[in-house]
Every structure is written in structure tokens, then in C-alpha cells.
Amino acid sequence: MKQNILSFLCFLLLGFNGAEAQKKIDIPEGITRKASVEGITEYELKNGLRVLLFPDQSKPTITVNITYLVGSRHEAYGETGMAHLLEHLVFKGTPRHPNISQELTERGARPNGTTWYDRTNYFETFNATDDNLRWALDLEADRMVNSFIAKKDLDSEMTVVRNEFEAGENDPSGVLMERVLSTAYLWHNYGKSTIGCRADLENVPIERLQAFYRKYYQPDNAVLMVTGKFDESKTLKYIDEFFLPFPDLKDN
């Protein structure tokens, strides 16, 4: 009797998992499915954008994160702090999304972004609805190529970043880390702090910042991740709609 019950339970479990595994995902023509490991599936668009989808129906929210493979180690002489400054300016809007901070607040999300040596990322977490997901993907696609990166925004945000710089000067652990890294990496940008130096922060030309943005903020230098409660087929359709029209700008 016990064995029959166990066999029946195993049959139900295997049958359920099999149905889940065989669930058809509609993949748009411009997207290629790559590897899939432990529920995370990788896709790639024709323009080089890499996508990671991790659906989790137990969550009431969705998180959209886009990571650009650029950080402070890519800065040239006289450009220290440029990657971090750019992170601030990307929140200053596009022609279609002129007030990003307000949009995020209205959707119950907060402005979020971080910069490090090898990457810069932007992410938002919001209630799991198709409307919110479309908005977030549209926002990230739009500011990938259409951010203002304007002189007036640089002038205002430079003082904000300079305050962060000055706060770091009063952080003993941060100062120690900076000294250790500058000793370990004598001739590499890993030896410089991501926040940059005061002279560069105060004097970076807007033209160099705009060129930095155009060079590194493009599909083939980015990884888009979506996780939480969402439909994978719908999400791929949205990604195809918002991101695929962008070409690989390095070839232009």
C-alpha cells in the first residue's frame, strides 16, 4: 500500500515537472535562446544584447536590472570619476521620459544605480503587472541611447558627486581600501577609486562625457536581467519590441 502511494506521488511529481519543462516559450525571430541553468535562461538579440530571465511565480514583484560592462577602469587620463558621473546623468531623463525619478516613484520603485570598476548597473523593483514590466523595459531601452547627458545636468550633479567624494575622504575604511589598491595596482585603473579625483570631477568636459556614453551604452555591451513573477513569452515579446530596433552602434 505504501509503495503504491509513493509510486503515485512520484508519478504526479514527475508528470508536473515534465509539463513545466515542456511548457512552450514563444521566442521572437530576432532572439536566440542560449543556455538554461537552474531556472535561469539566457537569450541573445541580434544586436548583441544578452538577456537573463529568471521567473519566480512565488514573488509578488518583478525586478528589471540592466548592467553595462563599463566602469572606472575604462576611464582615460583626466577622466577619473566619469563612469560614476554618467550614472547620475542617466537618471536625468530622455525626450520620452523627462522625469525618471518621478516615474519610478509613481510606480512604487526607487531610483537605483551603482558603479564599480568593471560595470555600471540600473535596476528597479515594482509590483508584478504587465503594464509595469512594459514601462520598465521601455525606460531602460530608451535611456540606453536617448539620455540627455546635458551640460546643465552635469553642472548640478557634479556638486552632488563632489559631496560623495568629500564624504569618502572622512571614511577610514574607504581611505584604507584606496591606499591598498593604489599600492597593489600601480599602473592600472584598479588602483584608482571609482569616485575619481576632485580636479577631474570639477573639470570634465561634457563632450567627453557624451562620447563615453555613446561608446559604452549600447546593446552589445549590456546584460538585461528580469526576475520575479512574469510570463516568459510576453517578456521576450516586450524585449524584442523595445530593444531589438537598436543596432550595434559600434558598427555605425
Side-chain angles (χ1 to χ4, degrees), residues 62-206:
I62 301 173
T63 295
V64 170
N65 178 95
I66 190 160
T67 300
Y68 295 94
L69 306 182
V70 57
S72 58
R73 80 173 181 90
H74 298 87
E75 297 162 349
Y77 290 109
E79 294 182 350
T80 61
M82 183 176 288
H84 180 235
L85 266 173
L86 188 56
E87 176 211 317
H88 280 244
L89 294 190
V90 169
F91 281 101
K92 291 302 181 178
T94 71
R96 288 202 299 111
H97 298 275
N99 193 333
I100 290 176
S101 295
Q102 180 179 330
E103 287 187 42
L104 288 163
T105 300
E106 289 174 350
R107 299 275 178 167
R110 293 192 313 170
N112 285 291
T114 68
T115 307
W116 201 230
Y117 292 102
D118 300 291
R119 53 101 189 126
T120 306
N121 75 302
Y122 306 86
F123 61 97
E124 46 274 342
T125 299
F126 42 85
N127 288 334
T129 68
D130 287 346
D131 179 60
N132 281 341
L133 178 56
R134 282 183 57 85
W135 159 78
L137 293 172
D138 175 42
L139 171 65
E140 295 302 350
D142 194 35
R143 63 179 177 175
M144 175 185 283
V145 295
N146 295 319
S147 293
F148 291 129
I149 318 299
K151 180 66 166 63
K152 64 180 181 65
D153 294 326
L154 174 60
D155 292 341
S156 63
E157 285 303 304
M158 182 278 292
T159 59
V160 175
V161 174
R162 186 173 58 191
N163 286 340
E164 290 184 41
F165 172 86
E166 292 171 348
E169 290 184 314
N170 295 315
D171 177 13
S173 62
V175 172
L176 175 61
M177 180 180 178
E178 183 179 343
R179 296 294 185 269
V180 170
L181 289 175
S182 64
T183 301
Y185 298 97
L186 294 177
W187 305 107
H188 194 281
N189 275 358
Y190 283 158
K192 302 173 184 176
S193 66
T194 299
I195 195 72
C197 72
R198 182 189 291 270
D200 289 349
L201 292 174
E202 293 178 341
N203 297 291
V204 59
I206 186 62

Side-chain angles (χ1 to χ4, degrees), residues 2-73:
K2 289 183 179 179
Q3 187 171 353
N4 289 338
I5 293 176
L6 288 174
S7 299
F8 178 68
L9 291 175
C10 287
F11 170 78
L12 289 178
L13 183 60
L14 289 172
F16 175 78
N17 287 340
E20 286 296 303
Q22 294 174 12
K23 182 181 178 182
K24 179 173 172 54
I25 304 298
D26 294 324
I27 303 175
E29 184 178 345
I31 300 178
T32 302
R33 187 180 187 274
K34 311 293 269 189
S36 184
V37 179
E38 296 185 359
I40 303 173
T41 305
E42 179 186 6
Y43 298 88
E44 185 171 328
L45 275 64
K46 288 182 179 179
N47 57 21
L49 177 70
R50 282 170 284 176
V51 178
L52 298 175
L53 298 187
F54 187 14
D56 183 351
Q57 300 305 313
S58 69
K59 301 291 184 182
T61 60
I62 301 173
T63 295
V64 170
N65 178 95
I66 190 160
T67 300
Y68 295 94
L69 306 182
V70 57
S72 58
R73 80 173 181 90

